Amino acid sequence: MGDLLRRYGTGLTGTFFVLTAFWLLALVILPNITLLEASFRPYLPVTEIGGPKDVYSFDNYRKFTANPIDSNLLAIPVTMPIHTITFLNTVIYSAVVTFVTFLLSYPLAYYLAKIADPKSLPTLILLLFIPLWVSEALRAFAWYIILTLNGPLNAVLTGVGILEKPIRWQNGVFTAYDAIMIGLVYTYVLFMLFPIYGSVQSLDRNQIEAAEDLGAKWWQTHWRVILPHAKPGIASGCVMVFMLSAGSLLVPAQLGSTRSNWFTQSIQQWMLESQDWNTGAAYSFLYILLCMVVVLLVMWIFKVKLSDIAK
């Protein structure tokens, strides 16, 4: 605060403070309080809202663990409530998407930060941004076309002899979520790439050369020098990719099959199809709790503070 006052003066600092407070209160705190309050109220006709039946309870949350069915979780037969299975599948496959985006992003981020010619760097970054010029809906439709039975992917793979006959990728080859994970990785990989790039770029190249001069192998240099320095960027990328993947609705709806329900689709079904906004609010609050747990888990794994992730 003192630094802001010295740099911008009382008037501008006060404006920043009021705008930040308004953003937090109107767009973050009040909507979430409303969501939490609605999640404990029953779904009633308009004429009965505020009446004797309109009392707080945990009934909306109990629906999350009600009506167990026989199903599969990671190809393991289980008997669990269908919404609990959907929630766990969303968590598991969002974690897989996060891990795959890290594997794809880290080498590219290192190349951009430490190997690429500085003169060609703006062009490379511009090329990476080109997919973002198209809306997420159009990108999902593009992947839908690519993965269809008569799409270009099957045409290429059967043409070169890798596949004997076309595959229905939307139904899944390894899991029912294959097409969804492909779409999510493509959609959110840049949210992992650029935080890691920013962290690696701030590393002094002399430290890398010192490790190499001392005889460290390339993987030891990455493991002992570069990865520890890039931890805040990796943590920030993991949080963003996981939250965006778990909260995605368009990609799972477009690329998923009848066997690949995503948790956001359950929320949409409660709110829009069943018009039960109270149960939808309860499920939405469970998603918020999941995001909070993920942030705390990432902070614990990478030994970073919340301020490091927010950078």
Side-chain angles (χ1 to χ4, degrees), residues 1-14 16:
M1 180 61 77
D3 184 57
L4 284 175
L5 288 171
R6 286 192 299 274
R7 183 175 298 181
Y8 300 109
T10 306
L12 203 53
T13 301
F16 289 154

Side-chain angles (χ1 to χ4, degrees), residues 146-161:
I146 292 171
L147 298 175
T148 52
L149 188 64
N150 297 319
L153 181 59
N154 278 326
V156 171
L157 294 178
T158 53
V160 299

Side-chain angles (χ1 to χ4, degrees), residues 148-182:
T148 52
L149 188 64
N150 297 319
L153 181 59
N154 278 326
V156 171
L157 294 178
T158 53
V160 299
I162 296 177
L163 296 178
E164 294 182 358
K165 60 181 181 179
I167 292 176
R168 291 188 181 277
W169 295 93
Q170 274 90 351
N171 290 341
V173 178
F174 302 102
T175 72
Y177 294 82
D178 292 350
I180 294 177
M181 287 193 289
I182 291 172

Side-chain angles (χ1 to χ4, degrees), residues 183-200:
L184 292 175
V185 168
Y186 173 77
T187 303
Y188 299 125
V189 67
L190 294 184
F191 291 89
M192 179 71 79
L193 172 65
F194 286 110
I196 298 177
Y197 166 74
S199 295
V200 176

Side-chain angles (χ1 to χ4, degrees), residues 93-107 181-182 185-186 189 192 241:
Y93 291 111
S94 295
V96 173
V97 169
T98 304
F99 183 66
V100 172
T101 55
F102 168 71
L103 293 180
L104 295 174
S105 300
Y106 178 76
M181 287 193 289
I182 291 172
V185 168
Y186 173 77
V189 67
M192 179 71 79
V241 172

Side-chain angles (χ1 to χ4, degrees), residues 15-257:
T15 303
F16 289 154
F17 180 78
V18 170
L19 290 175
T20 304
F22 173 79
W23 184 83
L24 286 174
L25 183 65
L27 302 181
V28 178
I29 296 175
L30 287 180
N32 283 293
I33 290 176
T34 304
L35 191 75
L36 180 63
E37 193 268 345
S39 70
F40 290 104
R41 298 176 67 176
Y43 172 56
L44 297 170
V46 177
T47 54
E48 296 185 14
I49 294 177
K53 295 182 180 178
D54 193 0
V55 294
Y56 292 110
S57 71
F58 288 95
D59 289 347
N60 295 327
Y61 290 93
R62 291 193 185 99
K63 295 175 184 175
F64 181 73
T65 57
N67 303 320
I69 62 169
D70 294 328
S71 184
N72 292 305
L73 183 66
L74 291 176
I76 301 172
V78 294
T79 301
M80 296 177 69
I82 185 169
H83 290 138
T84 304
I85 294 175
T86 302
F87 182 80
L88 293 176
N89 277 326
T90 302
V91 172
I92 292 169
Y93 291 111
S94 295
V96 173
V97 169
T98 304
F99 183 66
V100 172
T101 55
F102 168 71
L103 293 180
L104 295 174
S105 300
Y106 178 76
L108 184 55
Y110 178 74
Y111 173 79
L112 293 173
K114 296 300 177 189
I115 299 177
D117 184 355
K119 293 181 180 178
S120 61
L121 190 59
T123 305
L124 293 174
I125 292 178
L126 181 64
L127 291 174
L128 290 171
F129 269 110
I130 285 178
L132 296 183
W133 296 356
V134 182
S135 73
E136 185 177 338
L138 291 178
R139 281 179 279 158
F141 275 115
W143 272 107
Y144 179 83
I145 295 171
I146 292 171
L147 298 175
T148 52
L149 188 64
N150 297 319
L153 181 59
N154 278 326
V156 171
L157 294 178
T158 53
V160 299
I162 296 177
L163 296 178
E164 294 182 358
K165 60 181 181 179
I167 292 176
R168 291 188 181 277
W169 295 93
Q170 274 90 351
N171 290 341
V173 178
F174 302 102
T175 72
Y177 294 82
D178 292 350
I180 294 177
M181 287 193 289
I182 291 172
L184 292 175
V185 168
Y186 173 77
T187 303
Y188 299 125
V189 67
L190 294 184
F191 291 89
M192 179 71 79
L193 172 65
F194 286 110
I196 298 177
Y197 166 74
S199 295
V200 176
Q201 192 183 36
S202 64
L203 177 64
D204 191 343
R205 185 162 187 81
N206 290 330
Q207 295 186 40
I208 300 174
E209 293 175 353
E212 293 171 347
D213 292 342
L214 291 172
K217 299 178 181 177
W218 66 268
W219 63 268
Q220 290 175 319
T221 303
H222 281 273
W223 184 254
R224 297 289 183 85
V225 178
I226 302 172
L227 276 172
H229 184 83
K231 280 197 306 183
I234 297 171
S236 178
C238 289
V239 168
M240 283 197 291
V241 172
F242 182 89
M243 287 184 177
L244 290 170
S245 299
S248 179
L249 177 61
L250 194 148
V251 173
Q254 188 62 39
L255 298 179
S257 67

